[in-house]
Amino acid sequence: MTAMAHEPLTQAEVLLEGFLALDTPEGFRAELIEGEIVVAPPPDGDHEDYINVVLKQVLRKSRTDMDYSGNKGLKLRSGGACPKNHAIPDGTFAPAGLRLFRGAESWMAPEGIALVVEVTSTKPQADREAKRRCYARGGIPLYLLVDRDESSVTLFSEPENDDYRQLLTIPYGKPLPLPEPFAFDLETGDFG
């Protein structure tokens, strides 16, 4: 019996295997973003309140009925030789008729996702830059960033390659127009 020769694993494959084998403490999130493993502690109460502000408005005001997940892992294309990005947005919305979350694996492809939401916390730069690029590469049409340090809300749209072509940033307190399939103005007065 001859032993089968195995191709040596690339650095990206080793990183991905190590990431997928992580056993993070309860409540913590592990993500693989642009070749870096990021482990975040459970969010604070204000972070969760901001998510609730967005969630309630989307479910109440959207033109299209939306499904929501606060913990959906997304497998997204990477740039360069890095393994696929594995991100967990603070909020993920998809048209209810698609039923994307039912039966989905822990890490799913982003096809059909309408909007992802991030609220800055322990690593705000990752939300502003690295995650923005990941979501654009994944073709997610809308990325909403609630930036607590800047007291602003930014909507990124029109993903192309590694970034979004359009962005609209408003200070807390001003309405932010969300396009179809949402088609309403997000009220931001409850942030801050």
Side-chain angles (χ1 to χ4, degrees):
M1 180 161 100
T2 54
M4 297 194 60
H6 292 288
E7 292 290 319
L9 295 175
T10 66
Q11 183 177 357
E13 291 167 332
V14 170
L15 181 62
L16 181 58
E17 278 187 19
F19 166 74
L20 293 174
L22 282 176
D23 186 21
T24 56
E26 187 174 337
F28 281 69
R29 284 189 199 196
E31 300 174 290
L32 179 59
I33 306 294
E34 294 188 339
E36 180 182 348
I37 295 174
V38 178
V39 179
D44 62 37
D46 287 346
H47 180 279
E48 293 302 279
D49 184 61
Y50 287 27
I51 295 296
N52 276 321
V53 167
V54 174
L55 174 62
K56 287 175 184 175
Q57 289 186 59
V58 167
L59 296 180
R60 194 174 68 242
K61 297 179 178 181
S62 284
R63 179 168 296 170
T64 301
D65 190 25
M66 289 286 161
D67 284 338
Y68 170 81
S69 175
N71 292 297
K72 186 78 236 109
L74 300 177
K75 274 194 279 192
L76 304 158
R77 280 189 318 110
S78 66
C82 294
K84 275 195 173 187
N85 292 298
H86 287 67
I88 304 172
D90 292 327
T92 304
F93 292 93
L98 298 178
R99 302 184 75 126
L100 289 182
F101 305 128
R102 178 174 281 187
E105 298 289 325
S106 296
W107 297 100
M108 66 179 258
E111 284 77 19
I113 299 296
L115 170 75
V116 292
V117 180
E118 294 286 358
V119 175
T120 57
S121 54
T122 55
K123 291 197 169 199
Q125 225 30 52
D127 294 330
R128 293 181 193 124
E129 296 177 18
K131 284 185 128 181
R132 183 190 78 229
R133 290 188 297 269
C134 289
Y135 297 144
R137 282 186 209 110
I140 296 172
L142 300 170
Y143 171 35
L144 183 71
L145 174 64
V146 180
D147 194 320
R148 297 193 292 176
D149 296 334
E150 301 293 328
S151 298
S152 67
V153 183
T154 300
L155 180 66
F156 297 92
S157 60
E158 297 184 32
E160 185 177 286
N161 301 319
D162 289 348
D163 211 345
Y164 287 91
R165 291 180 29 202
Q166 297 289 322
L167 68 94
L168 174 60
T169 301
I170 55 109
Y172 289 171
K174 298 210 178 221
L176 178 72
L178 295 179
E180 292 287 346
F182 301 94
F184 75 92
D185 287 348
L186 180 74
E187 297 300 327
T188 67
D190 287 339
F191 298 142

